Amino acid sequence: MFVVATAGHVDHGKSTLVRALTGMEPDRWAEERRRGMTIDLGFAWTTLPSGGTVAFVDVPGHERFVPNMLAGVGPVPAALVVVAADEGWMPQSAEHLAALDALGVGYGLLAVTRADLADPGLAMDRARAEIAATSLGVVETVAVSGLTGDGLPELRAALDRLAARLPVPTVDDPVRLWVDRSFTVRGSGTVVTGTLGAGRLRVGDELELAGADEPVRVRGLHSLGQARPEAAAVARVAVNLRGTPRDRLGRGDALLTPGRFHHTDLVDVRLTGDPAADLPATLTLHVGSAAVPVRVRPLGPDTVRLRLARPLPLLVGDRALLRDPGRHHVSGGVRVLDVAPPPLARRGAAAARAQVLADLDGRPDLAGELRRRRLIQAGALIRMGVPVQAAPVAGDWLADPGHWQRLGDQVTEEVARYAREHPLEPGMPVDALRQRLALPDRVLVEALVRPPLRIHAGRVGTASAGALPEPVALAVQRVRAEYADRPFRAPEADRLVDLGLGPREIGAAVRAGALLRLADTVVLLPDALDDAVRVLAALPQPFTLSAARQALDTTRRVAVPLLELLDRRGATRRLPDDARIVVT
Ligand SMILES: Nc1nc2c(ncn2[C@@H]2O[C@H](COP(=O)(O)OP(=O)(O)OP(=O)(O)O)[C@@H](O)[C@H]2O)c(=O)[nH]1
Ligand SMILES: [Mg+2]
């Protein structure tokens, strides 16, 4: 199937032509038929001589209904421009064509209708020239009469040739179905329709709806009036949603493949075509079937920042248009350059941003994104519409290679500085390093630590960081030598001072496992605990504090905290009468 939107001035015969081609009534409302005028979008389809199907989105031509027209053409890649032979080129011929051009629609046909009423030559020449100057380029042209049927076979053949030229849709892409209609079907619930431009929908699929916390589920699918288990792009589809109230969604909403789109209310864009120098500060952004008021902030000669009144699922490269609803005027097309632009807080930030944007063209560019963002998660880039082929540096994180190299150097510097400032600590805590480098995730620190640095017990240091600074190591060695034959006699406080073991040094030695701390200034050699248990186990059980003190050949200063530590570790148990037993 391929989908074509009509375009053209009011009363030029768009709906009559669609009716003549399809045998279906595009004007769905009684009011439309009574007034002989299309108000809202109409939908009809037919089989072409080739056997292929064309579906039409028939738009209103009246200037009051241009927003409806834009909702219809937004997601559609091809247009049938209709001009009446007897009236020729008119204001909404021009406005509709400007809209197609702004959206970058590249495929189309020209039908000069009402050819039974006047010679189509003049209207045809003018329209061809106008169209040739737009993104549509030179188009095939057919003179027709919706009344007599003249020219219809030629138009059908031309539609077939147009279909053959259209790009092959990408059915593996994520779905972004812009809703152009929503209604309730008795017994089925909410149904929405739209033009599926890419991807594939299946009954049972879960989809995301912007602004809704819960996913929505596809209960049924219709295309061309028939129920189907699945529909692949390009297609007109009607989607029945399970359990979604009708008032939760409508025209301008989008049904999305979950997790694949970034919802943004701030975008930097390039103005396409001939941007007016004095763009109004508030305009309406039309993209897909959505129309959202925006505030415009000029940045460069043809680049602006748009603040959207509500977030939309936009991708880098999206085409959209800006319109001044007050003046009935398409102000220009836009191409989205950045859907997650940086804030412009500092002085000169806007000028700097304009320079960055000058080099962007809306084509997703992984290397450029990494250069500008330095560190970003692959999922975040994919949600912006930037395909990711690069390998992550850690977890889901991608890094600009130059930035990653600099971070590696910084790690070495920071760890060395920390070691200088904290000589007794066995390395820099990982989280302190993460904060110092302003890294968003601990896995990045872990990936940046390379030999000879390593992470041990939550700290980054050299492989020898477990070892003690030399003076402390020497002091511990002397304690060992002096107390080898009386392991439960802890050095007195003044002896510790003589040895150069102040509180910081003792702390370092304890962390390194070179000393065992019983109390503030009561330290033993680390094997003392096991030795003590052996000695105490040889005593008649239970034993008193005094018996333990004598057996260990030590003082109360050591014996009390030593036994308490053994109690805590479960090696001894204190009985109600204060005697103890060794637990075996
Ligand atoms: N004689 C003649 N009349 C036509 C032809 N096509 C359309 N008309 C008449 O022109 C009038 C407008 O036709 P529509 O098809 O409603 O025009 P439209 O472009 O859909 O108008 P809007 O949807 O309001 O923009 C109707 O009265 C049609 O009967 C044609 O080829 N020949
Ligand atoms: Mg009509």
Side-chain angles (χ1 to χ4, degrees), residues 126-140:
R126 170 78 190 274
R128 280 170 67 99
E130 295 283 351
I131 294 169
T134 69
S135 58
L136 286 163
V138 175
V139 293
E140 264 201 77

Side-chain angles (χ1 to χ4, degrees), residues 97-223:
L97 183 64
L100 297 173
D101 189 32
L103 293 170
V105 175
Y107 300 90
L109 291 178
L110 167 63
V112 178
T113 50
R114 301 171 44 129
D116 55 300
L117 296 180
D119 179 348
L122 221 57
M124 193 178 282
D125 290 349
R126 170 78 190 274
R128 280 170 67 99
E130 295 283 351
I131 294 169
T134 69
S135 58
L136 286 163
V138 175
V139 293
E140 264 201 77
T141 304
V142 186
V144 293
S145 166
L147 194 76
T148 67
D150 279 354
L152 288 186
E154 288 80 359
L155 182 55
R156 284 183 216 279
L159 283 164
D160 251 336
R161 286 190 292 276
L162 177 67
R165 285 174 48 224
L166 289 175
V168 179
T170 44
V171 292
D172 296 328
D173 277 5
V175 166
R176 177 175 54 175
L177 180 72
W178 292 103
V179 172
D180 49 34
R181 238 175 0 135
S182 68
F183 48 91
T184 311
V185 172
R186 191 188 292 270
S188 298
T190 302
V191 175
V192 300
T193 67
T195 303
L196 184 66
R200 192 190 293 275
L201 278 175
R202 292 188 185 85
V203 172
D205 276 356
E206 270 199 355
L207 297 170
E208 187 180 302
L209 172 64
D213 307 329
E214 302 265 303
V216 298
R217 191 179 285 280
V218 177
R219 178 179 173 178
L221 268 178
H222 276 68
S223 189

